[in-house]
Amino acid sequence: MGVRVLITGGAGFIGSHIADELAERGHQVLVLDALLPKAHGGSQPPVWCARHEFVAGDVRDAETVGGLLRGVDVVCHQAAVVGHGVDPSDAPEYASHNDYGTAVLLAAMHAAGVGRLVLASSMVVYGEGRYACAEHGVVRPEPRRQADVDAGRYDPRCAACGAWLSWRLVPEDAPLEPRSTYAATKLAQEHLAAAWARQTGGDVWAMRYHNVYGPRMPRDTPYAGVASLFRSALRRGEAPTVLEDGRQQRDFVHVTDVARVNALAVEQPGTNGELTPLNVCSGEPHTVGELAAELARACDGPQPKIVGGARPADVRHVVADPARATEALGFRSRVGFAEGVAAFATDPLREPATV
């Protein structure tokens, strides 16, 4: 028998796919979305929301959220302002939507007696990924030296001996060191949700998304993901621009796999009084340069341009360990890299923001 699920941000890229997956599995879906201009191309919900019960509203509005929670069994909290941000002037907006909005939601859930939460978190909470030194084993890398970056040396060094480090899979118990405003707000969401779970006996799955791509991604915005930025360039007839040397490792996971693992989390209660983080990934690491080259081939466009440099919040390698999600929820990704990227070349994307 299905459950009733409130999906905040349910008109967005990932949230809308979760809504569809849950409906296909026989659950009752209620979508709340503020339709923020930075994420949506207009003031009306996108066409893919038509099949779902939809409410236009802000998760920061306690009265709206409280009213929607009546009869809800599980909340799937996807609403957030995403992306690196442009500069520190974005910080109040990120903190307001992501952290204050989460606090309002958690208070309303407590008042309504709703005790189950599936939270959209992110790999960005890890900052740099996991690294090992030949001499010192697993170590925290030292900050990248500007002289190394300027010389085209992008891998981090061991803080103890200065040797170059090699990347390892990042488990969920790795140190959490956010390096951007967005990352800081995502970690704060986890802390708020963990406190709520301890205080109420509720349970939380914190889904640490890695590089999600697929249909309905936003395009032509500084907040879009790298796959969307590459495709937009190719559609303009331009070579995709790849920073550093293109060899930075990531895990690119298809949005339909992300929707499925969220549905599994909705259907499987977590541990009462605890937050359980899960890497949401494909388990198939690839470089950013590989993504750009594969997409260029699929679009029959120019080959990527490797331009060097690095942005202050960028990290070198973040490659996830998928084991816990498999063990806890039986999740394994189904969409392979080549298959997913080939489809992404022609997938429908979200219209550009209007402001």
Side-chain angles (χ1 to χ4, degrees):
M1 183 176 178
V3 296
R4 184 164 175 81
V5 185
L6 171 64
I7 307 177
T8 71
F13 166 42
I14 296 174
S16 66
H17 283 278
I18 296 171
D20 289 350
E21 177 71 16
L22 287 170
E24 291 294 331
R25 297 166 83 105
H27 302 294
Q28 299 177 40
V29 172
L30 172 59
V31 169
L32 172 68
D33 203 294
L35 299 175
L36 296 178
K38 285 183 179 178
H40 299 273
S43 59
Q44 298 300 311
V47 294
W48 47 76
C49 286
R51 65 183 291 195
H52 307 300
E53 186 180 352
F54 178 85
V55 174
D58 196 317
V59 73
R60 296 171 296 177
D61 183 338
E63 184 176 354
T64 296
V65 173
L68 295 177
L69 285 170
R70 287 190 289 270
V72 163
D73 300 294
V74 186
V75 174
C76 191
H77 183 31
Q78 306 294 314
V81 176
V82 301
H84 268 315
V86 176
D87 60 46
S89 65
D90 287 330
E93 180 182 25
Y94 276 94
S96 176
H97 284 280
N98 298 0
D99 299 336
Y100 179 68
T102 298
V104 170
L105 174 65
L106 293 170
M109 290 176 65
H110 174 55
V114 180
R116 296 195 52 220
L117 176 67
V118 180
L119 172 68
S121 187
S122 172
M123 70 174 195
V124 296
V125 301
Y126 297 120
E128 280 286 0
R130 188 177 181 90
Y131 295 89
C133 171
E135 181 177 352
H136 297 99
V138 173
V139 295
R140 290 175 61 187
E142 69 172 22
R144 288 197 282 187
R145 303 172 186 177
Q146 190 59 48
D148 283 338
V149 171
D150 292 343
R153 299 186 294 263
Y154 300 105
D155 285 318
R157 296 175 182 263
C158 176
C161 67
W164 300 108
L165 300 176
S166 55
W167 64 266
R168 297 289 186 269
L169 295 178
V170 182
E172 287 85 353
D173 60 359
L176 304 179
E177 299 183 88
R179 294 168 57 102
S180 68
T181 300
Y182 170 63
T185 64
K186 295 307 287 185
L187 182 54
Q189 283 185 307
E190 287 199 19
H191 287 321
L192 288 166
W196 168 86
R198 287 190 295 270
Q199 292 167 343
T200 66
D203 69 79
V204 184
W205 295 108
M207 317 300 274
R208 291 179 180 165
Y209 301 152
H210 286 254
N211 290 73
V212 186
Y213 72 99
R216 306 178 190 170
M217 280 190 88
R219 65 181 177 90
D220 302 331
T221 161
Y223 303 92
V226 66
S228 176
L229 297 176
F230 288 165
R231 203 188 96 163
S232 291
L234 288 161
R235 291 301 179 201
R236 295 191 301 267
E238 302 169 4
T241 298
V242 181
L243 296 178
E244 302 185 16
D245 57 4
R247 296 175 185 167
Q248 53 271 46
Q249 294 276 351
R250 297 291 188 271
D251 188 301
F252 299 98
V253 59
H254 198 267
V255 69
T256 57
D257 282 325
V258 175
R260 187 163 51 84
V261 73
N262 273 274
L264 292 170
V266 164
E267 293 168 349
Q268 174 62 52
T271 304
N272 289 343
E274 292 186 11
L275 177 145
T276 304
L278 297 177
N279 284 326
V280 174
C281 60
S282 71
E284 183 185 350
H286 289 274
T287 68
V288 174
E290 285 179 278
L291 173 68
E294 192 79 20
L295 196 53
R297 282 192 291 271
C299 292
D300 195 23
Q303 285 301 297
K305 182 187 299 183
I306 310 298
V307 298
R311 297 176 299 184
D314 283 348
V315 298
R316 180 59 171 168
H317 304 298
V318 186
V319 180
D321 185 342
R324 183 182 287 181
T326 301
E327 179 182 351
L329 297 176
F331 169 73
R332 290 181 175 85
S333 68
R334 294 175 179 171
V335 180
F337 179 75
E339 171 195 358
V341 173
F344 184 67
T346 56
D347 278 337
L349 301 189
R350 189 178 303 270
E351 288 302 306
T354 54
V355 297

